[in-house]
Amino acid sequence: MAAPVLVTGAAGFVGHATSHRLLDRGEAVIGIDIVNDYYDPALKQARLATFEGRPGFRFVRMDIADAEAIANLMREERITRVVHLAAQAGVRYSIDNPFAYQRSNLLGHLSVMEACRHMAGLEHLVYASSSSVYGDKPMGGKGFTEEEPAMMPVSLYAATKRSCELMSQSYSTLYGMPQTGLRFFTVYGPWGRPDMAYFSFTRKILAGEPIEVFGEGRMARDFTFIDDIVDGVLGALDNPPTNGGHRVLNIGDSHPVGLMDMIETLERALGRTAEKVMRPMQQGDVTATYADVGRLHALTGYQPKVMLEEGLGRFVDWYRSYYK
């Protein structure tokens, strides 16, 4: 029987969905997470509860920055494939809590890589990077490509994600470790993160509270539905680089949506109109994101299927059932 896939951040948004999809296709999964309180731990526990009764899943509460614990687990389970999604997320949170990013994103990534390099027969380490590495740059009518320099991060979060890419490149060069970094563009959908705009807007609109619209509503994001994201994650996992190489790939929707258009779509899904308070751009934010996913498509056939109208509708249905 094949060794289980190790998924870090299994109580998180993308980790939870990825683990379920792996189980659906008959894989065994070991999920690890520290279950911190960056946002409501009850939501993370509820995600974990969805694995109850599912054969092939085992959860281990663990800090990815604990290099010895990670190495021991991987050695005991003979792990050969890792989907490393655990990280301290959030752009604005990094301004007030920088050392959380040092530990989780930098030390955590190093711990996972070190454990991987000592595993005989390592097949692939797939890890989460971010579209934030591109910085705040004009789109110029086309998506960001992986060849573009990523040298001007506007938040510490972005800097740590770009650092992880460079660390992975060095390990592939030194040790021939096959690795893929996925530059996620804005992910949304059921079981999502409460700190994301669409999620907090939903809560406030239903409560009759005003929403704050930053950047005067002129920002745009490449909203990508969670099911499409998981398609890309598993497609990448199943197609490791040859000869122990390292690569970075965009994973997004390729259809940037203006913030005001997103709000209007959400209002339709909710059947409510939001009271909007316009605010200037926040520190660390970028004006627009837009993914060129040509490389991922060529490798895996990746093709986003869920457009925003449908995706936000599915999120609202989940939200109303979860927060009864």
Side-chain angles (χ1 to χ4, degrees):
M1 184 175 175
V5 179
L6 180 66
V7 178
T8 75
F13 179 27
V14 180
H16 162 258
T18 300
S19 296
H20 271 294
R21 190 78 70 81
L22 285 164
L23 294 170
D24 289 345
R25 70 181 201 178
E27 304 264 17
V29 176
I30 295 177
I32 64 176
D33 203 296
I34 196 172
V35 194
N36 66 17
D37 62 356
Y38 166 64
Y39 60 80
D40 185 10
L43 177 58
K44 300 179 183 183
Q45 294 291 357
R47 292 189 189 119
L48 290 174
T50 66
F51 294 110
E52 292 175 7
R54 294 216 66 178
F57 182 81
R58 181 161 78 91
F59 177 69
V60 180
R61 188 161 182 161
M62 183 181 293
D63 182 356
I64 57 167
D66 186 340
E68 184 177 0
I70 293 284
N72 289 341
L73 177 66
M74 288 187 61
R75 187 165 52 249
E76 290 164 5
E77 298 292 341
R78 297 183 172 86
I79 298 294
T80 59
R81 291 172 296 158
V82 178
V83 182
H84 173 38
L85 302 170
Q88 179 57 60
V91 168
R92 288 182 286 279
Y93 189 76
S94 68
I95 293 170
D96 297 323
N97 302 274
F99 289 102
Y101 293 75
Q102 175 213 22
R103 179 172 180 83
S104 184
N105 297 9
L106 299 178
L107 182 54
H109 190 69
L110 182 60
S111 297
V112 171
M113 285 196 305
E114 264 295 289
C116 285
R117 86 172 176 96
H118 292 292
M119 292 304 301
L122 179 74
E123 295 175 32
H124 201 183
L125 165 59
V126 175
Y127 66 92
S129 186
S130 168
S131 62
S132 64
V133 302
Y134 290 112
D136 193 11
K137 61 176 69 175
M139 291 190 297
K142 60 182 181 178
F144 300 151
T145 64
E146 295 89 345
E147 293 88 356
E148 293 186 45
M151 304 298 291
M152 299 291 287
V154 297
S155 69
L156 180 66
Y157 168 70
T160 62
K161 286 299 187 180
R162 181 64 179 130
S163 297
C164 290
E165 293 179 355
L166 295 172
M167 291 160 67
S168 282
Q169 179 61 53
S170 72
Y171 264 57
S172 282
T173 301
L174 288 167
Y175 308 117
M177 279 174 53
Q179 298 180 75
T180 299
L182 295 174
R183 290 175 172 171
F184 289 102
F185 286 67
T186 307
V187 188
Y188 76 101
W191 294 104
R193 278 175 32 208
D195 60 318
M196 299 293 284
Y198 73 93
F199 200 121
S200 63
F201 286 173
T202 298
R203 180 185 63 78
K204 290 181 178 179
I205 292 169
L206 288 175
E209 300 172 6
I211 62 172
E212 293 184 305
V213 182
F214 291 98
E216 305 290 343
R218 290 192 291 269
M219 295 190 292
R221 292 290 181 269
D222 198 351
F223 293 96
T224 316
F225 192 68
I226 183 62
D227 292 6
D228 292 327
I229 285 287
V230 176
D231 285 347
V233 172
L234 297 192
L237 178 67
D238 295 341
N239 291 277
T242 56
N243 303 318
H246 170 257
R247 66 191 174 205
V248 292
L249 298 170
N250 289 336
I251 178 167
D253 187 73
S254 290
H255 293 90
V257 175
L259 180 56
M260 298 306 294
D261 292 332
M262 184 274 281
I263 293 171
E264 289 175 9
T265 304
L266 182 59
E267 288 173 329
R268 287 195 296 274
L270 291 167
R272 304 274 186 92
T273 300
E275 179 187 344
K276 305 169 190 71
V277 180
M278 297 302 184
R279 302 287 192 205
M281 184 93 89
Q282 287 186 295
Q283 197 176 19
D285 257 345
V286 298
T287 308
T289 64
Y290 179 10
D292 180 322
V293 295
R295 282 188 178 181
L296 184 60
H297 174 76
L299 178 70
T300 69
Y302 174 77
Q303 187 69 47
K305 303 177 185 69
V306 181
M307 296 297 100
L308 191 66
E309 190 94 29
E310 177 187 351
L312 282 178
R314 287 163 67 175
F315 167 75
V316 167
D317 289 344
W318 168 83
Y319 185 97
R320 285 183 156 138
S321 66
Y322 182 77
Y323 293 101
K324 292 177 183 175

